[in-house]
Amino acid sequence: MTGKIVKVATLKQKLAKESKRWLAVGVASAALGLVVMSQSNVASAADDPSAETTQPAAQTQDVTINQKTSTNVVDQNGNQLASQSSPSRFDLTVMDSGLITAVRDSDVKGQITDKVPAGSKLDSVTLTLTNTGKNASTVVVSYDENTGIGNIVATSNGQTVDLQKQAATLGTREEQAQAKADATAQAAAYIRNYVTNSGDTYTTSITNKMDPKKVNLVNQFITDLADVHVTYKVTVPTPAPTPAPTTATTPTTPATTPIPEQPHTVPTVTGQTGVTVTEQGVAAKGQVVYAVRGLYMYNSRTFAKSARKTYYAKQTRVNRPMFVVTGYARSKTGALRYIVRDVNHTKKTDGWKGYITANRTFVVPVYYRSLPKSRVITVINKTGVKAYKNVNLTGATKHYRKGAHLKVAKIVTHHLTTRYVLSNGTYITANKKLIIAGRY
């Protein structure tokens, strides 16, 4: 009995040592690999014919490893809407070195299907892998649909690796942007390995079924399997409140009527994931948007490094790159993308077509949609702007130089753009690259 305990302890020490070595060479990759296949890191008798004559006979023991796959769906306030769990079991014969010599039996389930509430919007997916062995480790992989940012945070033996934080410490802004984009791509790729979806239905599946007929047992190395947990955070539509009864009153007409931010229906593209939604702040097809932060244009809705066409660095307001929205697409995880045409006429990219994020922290409409509280705008274009008699900006009446403060009475729409109406009744552009709300 004592010998059995010693052997098990020896095996766990070796497994713990190997897990620590994997952390040193790449904690995220190692911890995310449920079963680590190794033909070069661990020698075996089959690899070295002389091993039997130079090494003592290896000892084997039977090991049972249990793994749990679980999911939960929460709303925007963190309230749990659904929760499921599915266990898996692996009965193995393992050498002291950690090499598998036999898979005696396994009961691999690890597949769970969740359906999010109809009409809800997926906000984020978080994948947590927890190894509860002697050298416990946790890897948290997340992708935020609202910001388009993904991250991997791995912790083991008191050490933490945070890819987005590491990216922020690099030298140049371009290097930081590149590293942050790479971290997002890695996070999205890991999540895709576990999660697939069709419309409102999301499936979490574990694919490492150890079939003794299909694996080279001599060269397979086992570390403690990690429990897998997936959290889906969704925004559930709030039912419109029942209006309270009102008494008849004499309506008053306000002096000016700001144009409200109009929602636009963003269609689901055939063959792509996601559901038809109505999202506030999404630019309508044909509208012009500009980038307020550095971003890439891609030739695919999947934002992989290999799909990048060009990078647009963060610019001052008057120099921000502009794009015309020509359509919509969704990533495999449901993130909204704009299909755009570059309209930066002085740049070599003018006319280029591709995909950019629709995240409002990166891209916003070029034209104002409401009146400033002060009812004052400031001209920021270095060559100034003109006022016109007509809403289509014909019939120029006056030129205003950079720095001029102009009183505005209201804002009106013209096709997919907007105009400010000055106090004298003339029209001026509401383009944010040419004017800014307030006094500056």
Side-chain angles (χ1 to χ4, degrees), residues 198-277:
S198 175
D200 292 337
T201 303
Y202 290 80
T203 301
T204 302
S205 59
I206 305 304
T207 59
N208 63 308
K209 298 178 174 63
M210 287 193 281
D211 186 343
K213 297 178 181 179
K214 296 182 180 179
V215 298
N216 181 352
L217 295 177
V218 175
N219 288 324
Q220 189 172 13
F221 185 85
I222 181 70
T223 61
D224 291 343
L225 293 176
D227 289 340
V228 178
H229 181 76
V230 177
T231 297
Y232 304 100
K233 185 178 180 181
V234 299
T235 296
V236 181
T238 303
T242 303
T246 58
T247 57
T249 58
T250 303
T252 58
T253 303
T256 59
T257 305
I259 297 175
E261 189 79 12
Q262 296 294 326
H264 305 290
T265 299
V266 183
T268 297
V269 181
T270 303
Q272 298 178 3
T273 61
V275 296
T276 301
V277 295

Side-chain angles (χ1 to χ4, degrees), residues 131-407:
N131 184 324
T132 56
K134 183 175 180 180
N135 287 276
S137 63
T138 302
V139 178
V140 179
V141 187
S142 58
Y143 186 85
D144 191 313
E145 298 286 348
N146 296 314
T147 63
I149 297 175
N151 195 22
I152 299 175
V153 179
T155 302
S156 182
N157 297 322
Q159 303 177 51
T160 298
V161 177
D162 185 317
L163 297 190
Q164 287 290 346
K165 284 187 178 180
Q166 284 185 343
T169 64
L170 298 180
T172 67
R173 290 184 178 179
E174 287 191 4
E175 289 172 337
Q176 291 178 12
Q178 176 75 57
K180 290 179 180 180
D182 289 343
T184 292
Q186 289 181 46
Y190 279 130
I191 290 174
R192 283 197 300 271
N193 286 336
Y194 292 91
V195 178
T196 56
N197 85 293
S198 175
D200 292 337
T201 303
Y202 290 80
T203 301
T204 302
S205 59
I206 305 304
T207 59
N208 63 308
K209 298 178 174 63
M210 287 193 281
D211 186 343
K213 297 178 181 179
K214 296 182 180 179
V215 298
N216 181 352
L217 295 177
V218 175
N219 288 324
Q220 189 172 13
F221 185 85
I222 181 70
T223 61
D224 291 343
L225 293 176
D227 289 340
V228 178
H229 181 76
V230 177
T231 297
Y232 304 100
K233 185 178 180 181
V234 299
T235 296
V236 181
T238 303
T242 303
T246 58
T247 57
T249 58
T250 303
T252 58
T253 303
T256 59
T257 305
I259 297 175
E261 189 79 12
Q262 296 294 326
H264 305 290
T265 299
V266 183
T268 297
V269 181
T270 303
Q272 298 178 3
T273 61
V275 296
T276 301
V277 295
T278 300
E279 299 182 26
Q280 290 288 102
V282 174
K285 188 175 180 180
Q287 279 191 331
V288 181
V289 296
Y290 68 8
V292 295
R293 295 172 62 179
L295 56 76
Y296 287 93
M297 175 187 281
Y298 296 81
N299 59 21
S300 167
R301 63 190 172 92
T302 300
F303 286 4
K305 185 176 180 179
S306 59
R308 292 173 182 166
K309 295 186 69 172
T310 188
Y311 178 73
Y312 298 89
K314 182 178 179 179
Q315 300 285 345
T316 57
R317 185 186 183 100
V318 296
N319 295 316
R320 288 172 180 169
M322 296 194 302
F323 312 89
V324 172
V325 176
T326 60
Y328 309 96
R330 289 194 181 275
S331 70
K332 291 182 179 179
T333 57
L336 182 64
R337 314 297 197 199
Y338 284 140
I339 304 174
V340 298
R341 183 179 72 256
D342 183 308
V343 289
N344 302 289
H345 303 307
T346 63
K347 305 295 183 181
K348 67 177 183 179
T349 56
D350 182 32
W352 285 22
K353 298 178 181 179
Y355 299 77
I356 63 172
T357 179
N359 187 312
R360 294 186 69 185
T361 62
F362 287 83
V363 180
V364 297
V366 169
Y367 289 86
Y368 280 111
R369 301 286 300 175
S370 61
L371 281 172
K373 292 181 179 179
S374 63
R375 303 294 175 92
V376 174
I377 60 174
T378 302
V379 178
I380 60 174
N381 186 36
K382 64 180 180 180
T383 60
V385 297
K386 291 181 180 180
Y388 299 85
K389 293 180 180 180
N390 305 308
V391 70
N392 63 352
L393 301 186
T394 58
T397 61
K398 188 174 181 179
H399 179 267
Y400 295 99
R401 293 186 297 180
K402 179 181 178 181
H405 297 141
L406 308 176
K407 284 280 187 180

Side-chain angles (χ1 to χ4, degrees), residues 90-156:
F90 302 91
D91 294 332
L92 312 171
T93 300
V94 184
M95 297 174 63
D96 286 347
S97 63
L99 293 175
I100 300 172
T101 59
V103 179
R104 302 188 316 280
D105 190 18
S106 63
D107 183 13
V108 181
K109 298 175 183 176
Q111 179 162 309
I112 299 174
T113 298
D114 293 285
K115 186 173 179 62
V116 302
S120 62
K121 172 181 172 292
L122 181 66
D123 289 330
S124 64
V125 178
T126 302
L127 171 68
T128 304
L129 299 104
T130 306
N131 184 324
T132 56
K134 183 175 180 180
N135 287 276
S137 63
T138 302
V139 178
V140 179
V141 187
S142 58
Y143 186 85
D144 191 313
E145 298 286 348
N146 296 314
T147 63
I149 297 175
N151 195 22
I152 299 175
V153 179
T155 302
S156 182

